Every structure is written in structure tokens, then in C-alpha cells.
Amino acid sequence: MNMEKIAKIAGVSKAAVSFALNDKPGISQATRNQILKIAEELNYVPRRKIKKDTIVFLLVTNDHAQSLDYFQRLPFFQSIIDAFKTKSYLKGYNLSLQTVSKLDQDPFSTWQQTNIYGVVILGTFLTSDDVLLLNKVHANIVILDNPSIENSHSSVVINNKEGVRSIVHQISPKETVLYVHGLPAIPNFQERNTAFKYSAQTKDFNLTEIKMDSFSFSETTTSEQQLIINTLQNNTTIVAENDYLALKIAQIVAEKKLTHNVKALFGFDNIRTLSQSPIPIKTVSVNVSVMVDMAIDLILKEYKVPVHVTVDTNFVEGDKNEK
């Protein structure tokens, strides 16, 4: 239904309909009442009265997960989701949580709905192809947690380089270091690895590198246990690309009674469950609340050019860690 149809039924001009619907002078009160009555009967809602009151929070799983439940079981992502729920509510906006296992054209049309203010995409598992596809979409989009240089939308990312440098700073030169890559190899991990190798150049570490699954919920496998047993030497410092890995390694070290071999164990992200670790884990703290604040702020301000925000980190020493 449009203003032309209302004008035809009321027997007035389109301009008169516009005056009535926008509460402007220029027509009599009787004509105004007639137009408003017809618009109400036809369930016509002026575009200006359609409130953009919803922010979509889209989680792209890329087959690493099949539902929102997966992310809610991972403490770091659960913190992000909880923060979005709280901060959207406090700012007076509805939050629509959505997941897709593959990013394609399907969700794009829904983002153009008149009640949607913008879309925050959790980009942790976005591929390069996903980013290229998003670059073609003209919508109010902010990508969260994906340090991709190809991204042409506004973004909020972790300062991985600063975080890794703070870890390397804690390790003395010529130490024996076991670096554990996380699988799948997401952009955050790749940036952390690059930063580690760059920062470690002057340290002359005795470096061994292995790969382990980062996001499984099952107990450690026999092959994972054997991998740690085979690579762990005396007085080894272990650097894991995230805290899920660090917790898994801590479990193996404790169960196999290898704590005497470990000089220090480092993780990254400072997830809540680190306090449950059987051995101390030093980690890098990421302020999730600040990340979410920045993402929502970028959505609401609708900048004409992309704005890229990097959230700084803090090194956390000790075995009691809370986000």
C-alpha cells in the first residue's frame, strides 16, 4: 500500500496525503482526519514510523558448529553473546541472534528489512571467500573478531600482536619452547603465530611446533596425549594459541604427571574456566565488554567509511583468571 492509493480513495492529492501522514500544515483538519482514517483502515504505516529497533548478531559457523548452543558452550563466545544481549537491551534495541553454517546470499535480503538497524557478524570462522562476499554487500555491517586485511566493512578486532609480544616478553632467551597451533587455523591464530615468530627472532628459542584441535568438547584423545608426551622436554615453556588449547594441555600434563617438565604454560583470551585448570596458566586478557561496546557504537553511528578498531590486551599472571 502506498500514498498514491490513499490519495485516490480519499479523492485528494498525494501532497495532501503526505501532509496528513507527516503531521504538517497545509490541509484542513477534516481532510487530515479522513486521510488518517483511510490509512488506518488499510494498515498503512508511514516509512518514518517504522522503527529500526533490531540489531542482528550473526554467527557464521562454517561447519565448525551447527547451532548457537555450540558458541554458548565456549566461554569466550558466551561472554560475547551475553554482553551483546545486555548492551543491546540497555541501549533500547532488540537483539536477533542468528547462525548460518555457510555464508551465502540467503541472509542478505533480510538485512534490508526496515526494522533492522545493522548486522554484527562474529567473524572468528570467516574464510577469505566469506570476507570477499561480504565486501560486495551494501549494508550496515560490522565484523567482529576477524583480523583480515581484506575486510572493507567496519570491524572490531583483538590486538593479537600486542598480546603475543607480552607473552614473548615473559620468556627468557634460549629457552626450550613448545608452540601449539590451534586447529582449525582461524585468522586470529594465524596472526598470533606470525607475531610470535617475529617477536621471538631475538630470543633464539629452542622451538618445537605442533598442532592440536582447539574447539572440541570431548576429553583429550590418546593421540593428543601421546603428542604432548613425545614433544615435551625438561623445563619446557608451552605457548598455546588460545586458552582452550592451554586447558587441554594442562589436563594432559597433570594426568600424565609431567608438571615437572613444564616451566610455564601460556594461553590467550582469559576465558572464565581457566580457574579450573589443574596447573597455572598465564594468559592474555581481552576486554569483551569493550569489544561489544565498540561494535554496537559503530552500528548505531553508521559511518560513511569503514572504521577499524583494535582493542588492546593485558597480560594476566597467575592461575585464577576471570573475564
Side-chain angles (χ1 to χ4, degrees):
M1 182 56 62
N2 52 38
M3 289 195 295
E4 288 85 353
K5 182 67 173 179
I6 296 173
K8 183 176 180 180
I9 295 174
V12 298
S13 68
K14 181 180 175 181
V17 174
S18 178
F19 290 152
L21 296 178
N22 291 285
D23 198 24
K24 292 182 179 181
I27 56 175
S28 68
Q29 189 60 45
T31 300
R32 186 184 309 277
N33 291 342
Q34 178 193 16
I35 292 171
L36 292 176
K37 184 174 183 298
I38 293 171
E40 183 178 0
E41 291 173 349
L42 296 175
N43 294 318
Y44 176 80
V45 179
R47 185 173 296 275
R48 69 178 183 87
K49 290 188 177 181
I50 300 176
K51 183 182 178 183
K52 291 187 175 183
D53 63 354
T54 299
I55 296 173
V56 174
F57 184 41
L58 184 70
L59 302 104
V60 182
T61 68
N62 278 322
D63 298 326
H64 299 304
Q66 300 302 322
S67 68
L68 180 62
D69 176 66
Y70 174 85
F71 287 93
Q72 291 177 322
R73 293 170 65 190
L74 294 169
F76 178 73
F77 298 120
Q78 183 183 40
S79 297
I80 291 178
I81 293 169
D82 290 345
F84 264 106
K85 288 178 179 177
T86 300
K87 294 182 182 296
S88 298
Y89 173 78
L90 292 175
K91 290 181 179 289
Y93 290 86
N94 296 317
L95 183 69
S96 174
L97 291 170
Q98 302 177 16
T99 60
V100 291
S101 60
K102 180 176 176 56
L103 190 61
D104 52 31
Q105 295 291 344
D106 290 343
F108 299 159
S109 60
T110 64
W111 300 350
Q112 307 301 327
Q113 293 177 10
T114 50
N115 69 314
I116 293 179
Y117 211 109
V119 182
V120 178
I121 300 176
L122 181 62
T124 307
F125 297 110
L126 287 183
T127 65
S128 296
D129 289 341
D130 291 330
V131 174
L132 291 175
L133 181 59
L134 285 170
N135 287 344
K136 300 176 183 178
V137 178
H138 298 289
N140 186 17
I141 296 173
V142 172
I143 298 180
L144 183 69
D145 198 40
N146 185 297
S148 171
I149 60 174
E150 301 168 338
N151 174 25
S152 63
H153 291 287
S154 291
S155 63
V156 180
V157 300
I158 300 167
N159 194 337
N160 288 305
K161 295 176 183 178
E162 177 193 52
V164 169
R165 283 195 296 266
S166 69
I167 291 174
V168 174
H169 180 72
Q170 303 295 318
I171 308 173
S172 300
K174 299 186 181 299
E175 281 195 19
T176 298
V177 176
L178 174 61
Y179 186 93
V180 187
H181 296 264
L183 296 175
I186 61 176
N188 275 316
F189 293 171
Q190 293 166 345
E191 187 172 58
R192 290 171 191 178
N193 179 248
T194 299
F196 177 83
K197 289 184 175 178
Y198 180 82
S199 299
Q201 287 179 1
T202 61
K203 294 279 189 164
D204 194 23
F205 294 146
N206 176 18
L207 182 64
T208 302
E209 299 179 65
I210 61 173
K211 297 179 180 181
M212 290 177 61
D213 181 13
S214 292
F215 299 107
S216 64
F217 301 109
S218 59
E219 295 293 320
T220 57
T221 63
T222 301
S223 59
E224 288 174 331
Q225 294 173 12
Q226 197 60 48
L227 183 60
I228 293 297
I229 293 171
N230 292 343
T231 54
L232 195 60
Q233 303 176 44
N234 288 329
N235 208 33
T236 297
T237 294
I238 305 174
V239 178
E241 284 183 333
N242 72 355
D243 287 339
Y244 305 113
L245 272 178
L247 280 169
K248 182 177 287 191
I249 294 165
Q251 178 185 345
I252 295 172
V253 168
E255 288 181 353
K256 299 302 179 181
K257 296 180 172 49
L258 298 171
T259 53
H260 60 281
N261 288 49
V262 179
K263 182 174 182 179
L265 173 57
F266 295 91
F268 200 116
D269 290 330
N270 196 28
I271 62 176
R272 294 189 184 110
T273 51
L274 280 192
S275 59
Q276 302 171 13
S277 174
I279 66 174
I281 297 177
K282 303 176 182 183
T283 189
V284 173
S285 175
V286 179
N287 195 322
V288 167
S289 181
V290 170
M291 292 180 68
V292 172
D293 271 339
M294 294 293 185
I296 292 180
D297 185 62
L298 290 175
I299 284 290
L300 298 183
K301 289 187 177 179
E302 295 188 83
Y303 289 99
K304 300 300 182 183
V305 295
V307 176
H308 303 295
V309 178
T310 301
V311 178
D312 286 339
T313 60
N314 293 296
F315 183 76
V316 179
E317 176 128 21
D319 58 349
K320 298 297 181 184
N321 308 288
E322 296 181 0
K323 190 172 288 295

